[in-house]
Amino acid sequence: MHAARHGAPITGTVPTFSGTVPAPRLGQTLIHEHLFVNVEEPRGPWEHAEWDEDTAIDTAVRELEALAALGVSALMDLTVPGLGRDAGRVARVAARSPVLLMAATGWYSTRPLPSHALEEARERPACDDDPLIDLMIGDLTLGIQGTDVKAAAIKVASDSPDPAPETRHAFVAAVEASRRTGAPILTHSDPATGSSLAQLDLLVRRGVPAARIVVGHCGDTTDVALLAEIASRGAFLGLDRFGMEQVLDDEARVRTLLALLERGLASQIVLSQDAAVFSTATPPSWRAARSPRWRLDSLHRRIIPELERAGVGQDELDQMMVRNPATLLGRA
Ligand SMILES: [Zn+2]
């Protein structure tokens, strides 16, 4: 089902903040992370007691340098409209980062769509009469927020198996943008509510190949049967919140991953942390007190060594962290 299981060639190219690169150049990739999140999504400067832009940028560069030393070579910033996306700010980090950074389009559709995102879409040559589709396709093919940085993926979010009309609209727009550009769709879901399987059904029913979809936050459940069911449809499972122990502890996350690997599912799993350098929802003081192990380096410093002790081999790790992301992100 997947083209790049063991040794099969990985093809296509991927837009990054440093230009478009051949997919095999990505190397070890964290596919669901954030640099700077602001749930208020202001258009102007951020107002937060703990926010200082220059300091945040320096911190991001330092954390990316540490990741590069641990072997990470690419990172997807899934901060989309609704979460305070600012491509210009991330570009300042990318200019100094040894890790290739990628951007995403879409809409964090459990929150209202910021009106400025649609204004930006209206300033562009229209490809559709739906401004949300124009926004996504413009981001994927022209550039984000007036930069020449193109999005490498589409992100949409649903927390309910029966999403509200505006959430459904975001999914339908994502289908159209993916269909026209070949870009993959990475989601936010809540496996506890049944939204994971429901959103996958919605996307596939409308024509997105399951192999172009990551069902995000699958690692928030220990229901291995449910995850095996999602995998049986051909989608990738996003075990993408290691370290987010305020939702589920890492011990349970690791146990679930090992059970999936035992079922031979390495070719359909991607690993990440959904961490952030700075988020107004969980600012540094909150993280230090409430979830100190939720960091961009959790996988490398704690989880991967634990997997290795449990007998997970380099080939399986490379499958999940190198080949799967490259297969998914490579566009013809
Ligand atoms: Zn996220």
Side-chain angles (χ1 to χ4, degrees):
M1 193 172 316
H2 294 293
R5 221 164 273 183
H6 307 103
I10 291 165
T11 59
T13 58
V14 185
T16 77
F17 277 83
S18 312
T20 296
V21 304
R25 255 272 307 281
L26 295 183
Q28 206 182 93
T29 302
L30 294 172
I31 204 161
H32 190 137
E33 306 294 346
H34 300 274
L35 294 190
F36 313 120
V37 174
N38 190 334
V39 290
E40 306 300 329
E41 180 113 22
R43 194 161 203 180
W46 289 12
E47 307 276 349
H48 189 280
E50 295 180 44
W51 172 255
D52 175 75
E53 172 145 351
D54 290 338
T55 306
I57 285 171
D58 287 344
T59 304
V61 171
R62 256 197 339 269
E63 292 191 18
L64 290 162
E65 285 168 350
L67 284 182
L70 291 166
V72 175
S73 49
L75 180 145
M76 170 73 76
D77 182 4
L78 276 186
T79 310
V80 294
L83 291 174
R85 181 179 68 166
D86 186 331
R89 181 177 294 137
V90 177
R92 287 181 63 195
V93 177
R96 296 164 53 197
S97 168
V99 173
L100 271 178
L101 299 180
M102 295 170 279
T105 188
W107 171 20
Y108 196 78
S109 45
T110 60
R111 298 212 170 89
L113 181 66
S115 56
H116 64 76
L118 289 180
E119 283 164 32
E120 282 155 20
R122 287 198 190 93
E123 287 159 13
R124 287 176 176 153
C127 8
D128 201 278
D129 53 11
D130 180 339
L132 190 55
I133 296 175
D134 284 343
L135 170 74
M136 293 184 192
I137 292 180
D139 285 351
L140 289 158
T141 60
L142 300 172
I144 298 171
Q145 293 167 315
T147 72
D148 58 4
V149 177
K150 298 178 186 76
I154 304 163
K155 180 195 189 176
V156 279
S158 70
D159 279 323
S160 155
D162 183 23
E166 61 268 27
T167 299
R168 196 172 288 273
H169 176 202
F171 276 78
V172 171
V175 167
E176 201 48 35
S178 175
R179 204 179 59 75
R180 293 198 211 171
T181 64
I185 298 176
L186 289 81
T187 73
H188 159 109
S189 79
D190 181 356
T193 66
S195 69
S196 311
L197 203 50
Q199 64 176 214
L200 176 60
D201 281 344
L202 171 63
L203 294 170
V204 169
R205 206 165 51 233
R206 288 181 176 263
V208 181
R212 304 299 293 151
I213 300 167
V214 177
V215 179
H217 310 336
C218 279
D220 284 357
T221 184
T222 56
D223 186 344
V224 175
L226 169 67
L227 300 183
E229 166 72 21
I230 293 171
S232 76
R233 315 271 177 106
F236 285 97
L237 305 172
L239 273 63
D240 48 20
R241 281 181 154 179
F242 284 98
M244 201 197 265
E245 295 190 285
Q246 70 273 28
V247 174
L248 183 67
D249 60 74
D250 280 336
E251 209 184 303
R253 293 181 187 276
V254 167
R255 233 183 300 120
T256 305
L257 171 56
L258 291 173
L260 294 168
L261 291 175
E262 232 159 76
R263 293 181 180 222
L265 291 172
S267 64
Q268 287 179 264
I269 295 170
V270 288
L271 304 180
S272 210
Q273 300 146 136
D274 201 9
V277 173
F278 186 100
S279 168
T280 57
T282 51
S285 60
W286 185 95
R287 287 180 185 233
R290 296 281 305 279
S291 203
R293 304 208 294 180
W294 187 24
R295 301 165 42 91
L296 282 170
D297 60 3
S298 286
L299 268 168
H300 287 80
R301 294 212 186 277
R302 297 186 300 104
I303 306 299
I304 291 174
E306 213 175 308
L307 295 174
E308 286 169 340
R309 278 193 295 277
V312 177
Q314 193 57 48
D315 190 56
E316 279 175 303
L317 290 170
D318 286 347
Q319 185 71 46
M320 295 185 285
M321 301 203 67
V322 179
R323 291 194 288 274
N324 292 346
T327 305
L328 182 80
L329 295 170
R331 268 149 71 185

